[in-house]
Amino acid sequence: MAPAFGGAHVVVPLPFNPKSLNGISERLIVSHHENNYGGAVKNLNRVEQELSRINRETPPFVVAALRDKELTFRNSKTLHEAYFGNLGGDGRRAGAIETALTQAYETSARWEEHFRATGMGLGGGSGWVVLGLELDTGALRTTASGNHTQILATSIPLLVMVMYEHAYQMDFGAAAAKYLDAFFVNIQWEEVNRRLERAQRASAAWGGAAG
Amino acid sequence: MAPAFGGAHVVVPLPFNPKSLNGISERLIVSHHENNYGGAVKNLNRVEQELSRINRETPPFVVAALRDKELTFRNSKTLHEAYFGNLGGDGRRAGAIETALTQAYETSARWEEHFRATGMGLGGGSGWVVLGLELDTGALRTTASGNHTQILATSIPLLVMVMYEHAYQMDFGAAAAKYLDAFFVNIQWEEVNRRLERAQRASAAWGGAAG
Amino acid sequence: MAPAFGGAHVVVPLPFNPKSLNGISERLIVSHHENNYGGAVKNLNRVEQELSRINRETPPFVVAALRDKELTFRNSKTLHEAYFGNLGGDGRRAGAIETALTQAYETSARWEEHFRATGMGLGGGSGWVVLGLELDTGALRTTASGNHTQILATSIPLLVMVMYEHAYQMDFGAAAAKYLDAFFVNIQWEEVNRRLERAQRASAAWGGAAG
Amino acid sequence: MAPAFGGAHVVVPLPFNPKSLNGISERLIVSHHENNYGGAVKNLNRVEQELSRINRETPPFVVAALRDKELTFRNSKTLHEAYFGNLGGDGRRAGAIETALTQAYETSARWEEHFRATGMGLGGGSGWVVLGLELDTGALRTTASGNHTQILATSIPLLVMVMYEHAYQMDFGAAAAKYLDAFFVNIQWEEVNRRLERAQRASAAWGGAAG
C-alpha cells in the first residue's frame, strides 16, 4: 500500500507509572490508555485501509464520511499522546512557559483562569482544551474543541487536557472541577517546556513571528 | 489588553491581480476576499475582545460558545490566506512537491484523484480540502473539513482549497466539478514548493520524522 | 429490501412558477431545486442502500459515518421541501401565525428581528433558520442550525429559511441581508398558517401543551 | 419576559426508583439525572435569558453562538426526559412496537442489530441513538447523533439511548457493549408503546402517511 494509506500506526505506551498519579486512579488511566486511545489507533488503521480503496466510482458522500473519521482518529491519537505525555509531573509551573504565559496573559494565574473556564465549558460533554503555539505568529493560544476534529490551524500542542468523560467519570463522577484540580497537580511542566522550545524552533523554521 | 486578546488582526491583500485568474471572475474573487475573508478578520477581532472579558462569573457555556467562534474565525483567516496565496499560478505541478506526492501516493495523479474526490464530497455544502505536512511524522496528508474548525493536528497547510459555496456559486452555480478544474489550472505550485521546504524545516525543528 | 431501507425517495416539484419570485432569479431557484435539493434526494437513496448492508462485521465507525450522512440527506430533503413550500407568496403576514407570534414575542416585529438576526449569524456560512412548533409544549421556537443535521427535538417546521450560500450567492453575492429581504417578501404565509393549524392538531394528539 | 424566552424550565423527577434498575447503579443514574440532565435544564434557562436580550446591536456571531447552545440544552432536556422515561421496565418487547419493527425491518431482531451497531459506533464518544417516528411519512427510523443538536426532522422519539459516557463509565468503564446489554434489559416497552400510539395519532393529525 502507498505510504499515505499505511494503516500501520502503533500504540505508544504510557510514559509514567499508572499507579503514580496524584488523585487519578490506575484503573481510570489504564482504561483511558488501552480502550479510548488504543481504540482510536486501531480505528485509524482501519479507516486508512478503507481510504486506500477510494476511486472514481466511490460515492462522494462516502469519501467525505471516511475523511471525517480519519480526521477524528488521527487527531485523537495525536492529542491523547500529548495528554499522557504532559501528565506524571508535580504540577509546579516554572521556566520558559511561566514567562511566556505571563507575557501573553499579564499573569499566568489569569491564563490558568482561562484554561479552567474553557474546560468547565466542556464539562458533562466531550472535547479537549489545548494550550498551543501558533506557528504562523509564534503566539500562545488557548483553544477548545467539542470533538477530536477541531484544532487551531498551524499549531503545536504544548499542554493538552482531555474533556471526554472517560477522563474523569470513573473517579470523579460528574465533578469536572475536581478533575481539573487533579489534572493541574499532575502536569509535567518540564515536558511542556521542552515542547515550547521545540515549537519555537519550528515556528522560526516555518517563518512565523517567533523567529 | 493582554497580547493573548489583541483583537488587532489585519486583512492581508490579495497576492495577485484579481483580473488575472483563469476562469475565476474578478467579481467572485474580490467578493470572496473582501466579504468572506475580510468578515472573518473583523469577527475574529470582536470575538477576541469578548474573550478578554471572561472571568469567574461568566457562564461556562458562554465561554465554550465564544471559544468555538474564536476557532472558527482564527482558522478561517489562516486558511483563506493560504488559499489566496496558492492561487495565481499556471497550474503546472513540478519540483519537490511532485516528488513527495509520488512517494506518498505512488503517482501524483493518484493524489489528485484523492484530492478531487474529497472536494466533491463537500460539493453543495461547506468546508475545506487541505494537503498538509504533518509535523509529528513529516508525512503528507490530504484532509477535509466541513467547517472552519476542523484541522489535522500538528499540520502545516501546503495546498488549500475552499469548498464553501462563496468560492464558486457566483461563477459556476452548483457545478463544483468545474470549480475544481478552475482551481487546479490556477494553482501557484511554486508557492506550494516554498511552503513544503519551510514545513520540512519546521518538522525537523519540532523533531518529527522529516528531520 | 425492508421498508426501513427503501432508497426510493423522489423529488417533489417546485410548488410555484420559478419565474414568479420577487427578486430571486429563476436560474438560482431552479439550480437550488435541481442540484442541491435533487442531489440530497439522490444521495439519501444511496445511503439507505449502503445502510441496508450493515451487519455484525461492519466496523462501528462505518455505521456511525453512514448514519451521519443519512441524517444529513434525510433532513436536507425535509427542510428543502418545507423551504420551497413556504415561498411563492406575497409576504403579508396575517392570521393565526401573526397572533401566535405576537403572543410568543410580544410583537411579531420582535420575532422578525430575532429571525433575521439568527439568519445573519449564519451569513457567509451554511445552515438553516426555522420557526417551529414544539410538540411537547405547543410553543413556537426560532432555531438555527449550521448544517442539515441540527433540529429542535419534537418540532414541526412552520417557516424555513435556507442559509446555505447556494440560496443567495448567485443573485446577491455575499449580501446575505439582501437575501433576507427577498426571502421575506416572497413568504407564502397562507402555507405557514396551514402548517400551524396542522401542527397544533399534531401537538394535541401527541399530548403536548397546545392540546 | 415574553413567553418565547421564559427561562422557566423545571427538572422532571426520575419516573422510577433509582435503586430498581437491573445492572445500572443508583449512584450512576442519580448523578446522570441530577448533574447532566439537571445541568442542562439550568443552562437552558440561562441561555434563554441571554437570548431575550438580543437586539440590532448584538454581533451576529454572538446570536449564532447562543442559538447553538439553546439547541444543545433544549434537546438535551427533551432527550434525557425521554431516556429516563423509557427505563424502569423489564425489557420484554411486545405489542404494537414489535409489530411495527417487524414490518419496517423484516424482523425486530434485525432492528435490534441496527440499533446496537449504531450505539457501538458512538462508544467512547458522545451522542444519542433514537428510534423515532417520522411524522411526515409515518415511518420508523433509527438515527444517531454525535451531540445534543442532531435530530431527525419532524420526528417524535419513541426509544432513546444516551451514548454520552456519563451514562455508563461509572458502572462499566469503557465497555459500551455491556451498557447496551444493561440498557436493553431495563427498557420500559409499555411506555414505548404508549409513545407509538400517540405519535401515530400526531402523524395522522399532521397529515403524514400514518394517517
Side-chain angles (χ1 to χ4, degrees):
Chain A
M1 202 176 332
F5 312 106
H9 298 278
V10 295
V11 168
V12 175
L14 275 177
F16 51 80
N17 180 342
K19 297 180 198 296
S20 69
L21 295 186
N22 187 348
I24 299 178
S25 71
E26 178 183 12
R27 179 170 165 253
L28 185 151
I29 207 79
V30 167
S31 172
H32 191 168
H33 183 268
E34 285 188 6
N35 297 304
N36 300 102
Y37 163 62
V41 175
K42 185 177 145 191
N43 281 331
L44 175 60
N45 288 333
R46 292 182 83 163
V47 79
E48 288 190 355
Q49 289 159 10
E50 295 282 338
L51 277 163
S52 72
R53 290 189 278 272
I54 287 176
N55 59 35
R56 282 154 208 263
E57 309 303 315
T58 315
F61 71 81
V62 172
V63 179
L66 291 175
R67 284 273 174 238
D68 187 66
K69 293 301 175 189
E70 179 193 26
L71 198 59
T72 296
F73 300 129
R74 186 66 191 86
N75 284 357
S76 178
K77 179 176 188 290
T78 301
L79 292 169
H80 272 107
E81 289 170 5
Y83 172 71
F84 294 128
N86 58 220
L87 284 182
D90 63 7
R92 289 188 208 143
R93 191 164 61 228
I97 191 68
E98 176 72 8
T99 307
L101 288 171
T102 303
Q103 286 171 347
Y105 289 83
E106 291 179 347
T107 67
S108 73
R110 178 76 175 128
W111 164 78
E112 185 173 326
E113 186 178 40
H114 260 269
F115 194 90
R116 284 177 179 260
T118 305
M120 291 307 291
L122 300 173
S126 57
W128 299 85
V129 184
V130 177
L131 169 68
L133 185 137
E134 190 174 68
L135 295 178
D136 261 3
T137 60
L140 295 183
R141 290 188 81 93
T142 300
T143 57
S145 61
N147 57 52
H148 301 300
T149 67
Q150 300 182 304
I151 293 283
L152 178 67
T154 83
S155 72
I156 286 181
L158 304 179
L159 178 70
V160 171
M161 180 170 69
V162 189
M163 288 304 298
Y164 277 82
E165 292 170 304
H166 53 248
Y168 59 91
Q169 271 275 344
M170 213 185 274
D171 285 355
F172 303 103
K178 288 186 185 167
Y179 162 62
L180 264 66
D181 289 343
F183 173 76
F184 266 87
V185 300
N186 285 287
I187 294 176
Q188 172 59 280
W189 285 103
E190 289 86 346
E191 170 64 10
V192 178
N193 271 314
R194 283 190 291 271
R195 292 177 189 170
L196 175 63
E197 189 190 342
R198 292 161 55 206
Q200 285 174 331
R201 284 204 307 262
S203 180
W206 168 246
Chain B
M1 206 178 329
F5 312 104
H9 299 276
V10 295
V11 167
V12 175
L14 275 176
F16 51 81
N17 179 340
K19 297 179 199 295
S20 70
L21 296 185
N22 188 348
I24 298 178
S25 71
E26 179 185 9
R27 179 172 164 252
L28 185 150
I29 208 78
V30 167
S31 172
H32 190 169
H33 183 268
E34 285 188 5
N35 296 305
N36 300 104
Y37 162 62
V41 175
K42 185 177 144 191
N43 281 330
L44 175 59
N45 288 333
R46 291 182 83 163
V47 79
E48 289 189 354
Q49 288 159 10
E50 295 282 338
L51 277 162
S52 71
R53 290 190 276 273
I54 287 176
N55 58 36
R56 281 153 208 262
E57 308 304 314
T58 315
F61 71 81
V62 171
V63 179
L66 291 174
R67 285 273 174 236
D68 187 67
K69 292 302 173 188
E70 179 192 26
L71 198 60
T72 296
F73 300 129
R74 186 65 191 86
N75 283 357
S76 178
K77 179 176 189 289
T78 301
L79 292 168
H80 272 107
E81 289 170 4
Y83 172 72
F84 295 127
N86 59 218
L87 285 181
D90 64 6
R92 290 187 206 142
R93 191 165 58 228
I97 190 69
E98 178 70 8
T99 308
L101 288 171
T102 304
Q103 287 172 345
Y105 288 82
E106 288 179 349
T107 67
S108 72
R110 178 74 175 130
W111 164 79
E112 184 172 327
E113 188 179 39
H114 259 270
F115 193 91
R116 283 177 181 261
T118 305
M120 291 306 290
L122 299 175
S126 58
W128 300 85
V129 185
V130 177
L131 169 68
L133 185 136
E134 190 174 69
L135 295 179
D136 261 3
T137 61
L140 295 183
R141 292 190 81 94
T142 300
T143 56
S145 61
N147 55 51
H148 302 299
T149 66
Q150 300 182 303
I151 293 283
L152 178 66
T154 82
S155 73
I156 286 181
L158 304 179
L159 178 69
V160 171
M161 180 169 70
V162 188
M163 288 303 299
Y164 277 81
E165 294 171 302
H166 53 248
Y168 60 91
Q169 270 276 343
M170 215 184 272
D171 284 356
F172 303 103
K178 288 186 185 168
Y179 162 62
L180 264 65
D181 289 343
F183 173 76
F184 265 87
V185 300
N186 286 289
I187 294 176
Q188 172 60 279
W189 285 104
E190 291 86 345
E191 169 64 9
V192 178
N193 271 314
R194 283 190 291 271
R195 292 177 189 170
L196 175 62
E197 190 192 340
R198 291 161 56 205
Q200 287 174 331
R201 283 205 307 261
S203 180
W206 168 245
Chain C
M1 203 179 329
F5 313 107
H9 298 277
V10 295
V11 167
V12 176
L14 275 177
F16 51 81
N17 180 340
K19 297 180 199 297
S20 69
L21 295 185
N22 188 348
I24 298 177
S25 71
E26 179 184 11
R27 178 171 165 253
L28 184 151
I29 206 80
V30 168
S31 171
H32 190 170
H33 183 267
E34 286 188 5
N35 296 305
N36 299 103
Y37 163 62
V41 175
K42 186 177 146 192
N43 282 331
L44 175 60
N45 288 334
R46 293 183 83 164
V47 79
E48 289 189 355
Q49 288 159 10
E50 296 281 340
L51 277 164
S52 72
R53 290 189 277 272
I54 287 177
N55 59 35
R56 282 153 208 262
E57 309 303 315
T58 315
F61 72 80
V62 172
V63 179
L66 291 174
R67 285 272 173 238
D68 187 66
K69 293 301 175 189
E70 179 192 26
L71 198 60
T72 296
F73 300 129
R74 186 66 191 86
N75 283 357
S76 178
K77 180 177 188 290
T78 301
L79 291 169
H80 271 108
E81 289 170 5
Y83 172 72
F84 295 128
N86 58 221
L87 285 181
D90 63 7
R92 290 188 206 142
R93 191 164 59 229
I97 191 68
E98 177 70 9
T99 308
L101 288 171
T102 304
Q103 287 172 346
Y105 289 82
E106 289 180 346
T107 68
S108 72
R110 177 76 174 129
W111 163 78
E112 184 173 326
E113 187 179 40
H114 260 269
F115 194 90
R116 284 177 179 260
T118 305
M120 291 306 291
L122 300 173
S126 57
W128 299 85
V129 184
V130 177
L131 169 69
L133 185 136
E134 190 174 67
L135 295 178
D136 262 4
T137 61
L140 295 183
R141 292 189 80 95
T142 299
T143 57
S145 61
N147 56 53
H148 301 301
T149 66
Q150 300 182 303
I151 293 283
L152 178 67
T154 84
S155 73
I156 287 181
L158 304 179
L159 178 70
V160 171
M161 180 169 70
V162 188
M163 288 304 300
Y164 277 82
E165 292 171 304
H166 53 249
Y168 60 91
Q169 270 276 343
M170 212 185 273
D171 285 356
F172 303 103
K178 288 186 184 167
Y179 163 61
L180 263 66
D181 289 342
F183 173 76
F184 265 87
V185 300
N186 286 288
I187 294 175
Q188 173 59 279
W189 284 103
E190 291 85 347
E191 169 65 9
V192 178
N193 271 314
R194 284 190 290 272
R195 292 177 188 170
L196 174 63
E197 189 192 341
R198 292 161 57 206
Q200 287 174 331
R201 283 205 307 262
S203 180
W206 168 246
Chain D
M1 205 178 328
F5 312 104
H9 298 277
V10 294
V11 168
V12 176
L14 275 177
F16 51 81
N17 180 340
K19 297 179 197 297
S20 69
L21 295 185
N22 187 348
I24 299 178
S25 71
E26 179 184 10
R27 178 169 164 254
L28 185 151
I29 207 77
V30 168
S31 172
H32 191 170
H33 183 269
E34 287 188 4
N35 296 305
N36 300 104
Y37 162 62
V41 175
K42 185 176 145 192
N43 281 331
L44 176 59
N45 288 333
R46 292 182 83 162
V47 79
E48 290 190 353
Q49 288 159 9
E50 295 282 338
L51 278 162
S52 73
R53 289 189 276 272
I54 286 176
N55 59 35
R56 282 154 207 261
E57 308 303 315
T58 315
F61 71 81
V62 171
V63 179
L66 292 174
R67 284 273 174 238
D68 187 67
K69 293 301 175 189
E70 179 193 27
L71 198 59
T72 296
F73 300 128
R74 186 65 191 88
N75 283 357
S76 177
K77 178 176 189 289
T78 301
L79 291 168
H80 271 107
E81 289 170 5
Y83 172 71
F84 295 126
N86 58 218
L87 284 181
D90 63 7
R92 290 187 207 144
R93 191 165 60 229
I97 191 69
E98 176 71 8
T99 307
L101 288 171
T102 304
Q103 287 172 346
Y105 288 82
E106 289 179 349
T107 67
S108 72
R110 178 75 175 128
W111 164 78
E112 185 173 326
E113 187 179 39
H114 260 270
F115 194 90
R116 283 176 181 262
T118 305
M120 291 307 290
L122 300 174
S126 57
W128 299 86
V129 185
V130 176
L131 169 68
L133 185 135
E134 190 174 69
L135 295 178
D136 261 3
T137 61
L140 295 183
R141 291 190 81 95
T142 299
T143 57
S145 61
N147 55 52
H148 302 299
T149 67
Q150 300 182 304
I151 293 283
L152 178 67
T154 82
S155 73
I156 287 181
L158 304 180
L159 178 69
V160 170
M161 180 170 70
V162 189
M163 289 303 300
Y164 278 81
E165 294 171 303
H166 54 247
Y168 60 90
Q169 272 275 345
M170 215 186 271
D171 284 356
F172 302 104
K178 288 187 185 167
Y179 162 62
L180 264 66
D181 289 343
F183 173 75
F184 266 86
V185 300
N186 285 289
I187 295 176
Q188 171 59 279
W189 285 103
E190 290 87 345
E191 170 64 10
V192 178
N193 272 314
R194 283 190 290 271
R195 292 178 188 169
L196 175 63
E197 190 192 341
R198 293 160 55 204
Q200 286 174 330
R201 283 205 307 263
S203 180
W206 168 246

